[in-house]
Amino acid sequence: MESRIGHSLFDDDQIDCDTALDHHLATRMHLVKADVETIELFLEVIGEMAEESRGGSDEMLTTLLEEMPGDMGIVPGEDQMEDVEDPEFADDPELHPELRPELENRLDFLLQVLVDDILFFGLFNIDPDYAREQVTKIGALLRREPPETIKAFVSLTRKLASEVGPDPIYQPEKNLLLNMPYDLGLLADPR
């Protein structure tokens, strides 16, 4: 959620607008697969963040958080309400989350979003200081998680790195995935 806020409040000199939009759409395509229990978890976290921001000095942040579930595809957005009620779309899981299959591994699903964010900050046209700041925030949050979560994250990055194609053009992504646990301070760095 923190990353989504960062993308929405970015300055043009921190993140190229087209790059941010591409990443937003890619993340949305992932989140529209969330099952009902995961959606409830997202809504709870976003609701708590919105409540904490309410009455603060940044009204834009509160509005952003209130609109985030629809904008990110966690639930249908306001612009989709007509389609939700249209019988033609009654079997569309994006519009009707209750039709989505239960996730086999909720933790991997959530960690995949984090990995994608870190890849975004490491591979695309983003101000290096801003990217470093965002990755540092993600690392600090992950280090507070239980050991099983950290182990699952490391395992996921290794698995994803092993799936990267052999073409040299993909080497930066593979390197980033292999180094991610060290860059985030999750493992002692042997480098």
Side-chain angles (χ1 to χ4, degrees), residues 40-54:
E40 289 170 0
L41 177 64
F42 277 127
L43 294 177
E44 181 182 332
V45 171
I46 293 169
E48 288 172 5
M49 292 173 75
E51 193 57 43
E52 287 172 14
S53 73
R54 205 165 276 116

Side-chain angles (χ1 to χ4, degrees), residues 92-112:
D92 184 341
E94 184 175 337
L95 298 172
H96 301 280
E98 67 279 4
L99 300 175
R100 299 176 193 170
E102 187 174 337
L103 292 171
E104 289 182 29
N105 189 328
R106 186 164 290 108
L107 182 58
D108 271 2
F109 178 86
L110 297 170
L111 292 176
Q112 180 68 55

Side-chain angles (χ1 to χ4, degrees), residues 31-113:
L31 293 179
V32 297
K33 298 173 189 157
D35 62 12
V36 172
E37 195 172 329
T38 307
I39 290 169
E40 289 170 0
L41 177 64
F42 277 127
L43 294 177
E44 181 182 332
V45 171
I46 293 169
E48 288 172 5
M49 292 173 75
E51 193 57 43
E52 287 172 14
S53 73
R54 205 165 276 116
S57 60
D58 192 348
E59 290 179 26
M60 186 175 167
L61 176 60
T62 304
T63 302
L64 183 68
L65 285 162
E66 289 171 347
E67 293 173 354
M68 190 180 289
D71 288 347
M72 292 308 304
I74 297 167
V75 296
E78 283 184 34
D79 60 333
Q80 295 174 301
M81 284 306 153
E82 283 184 29
D83 291 342
V84 168
E85 296 173 15
D86 187 333
E88 183 181 341
F89 299 106
D91 59 352
D92 184 341
E94 184 175 337
L95 298 172
H96 301 280
E98 67 279 4
L99 300 175
R100 299 176 193 170
E102 187 174 337
L103 292 171
E104 289 182 29
N105 189 328
R106 186 164 290 108
L107 182 58
D108 271 2
F109 178 86
L110 297 170
L111 292 176
Q112 180 68 55
V113 177

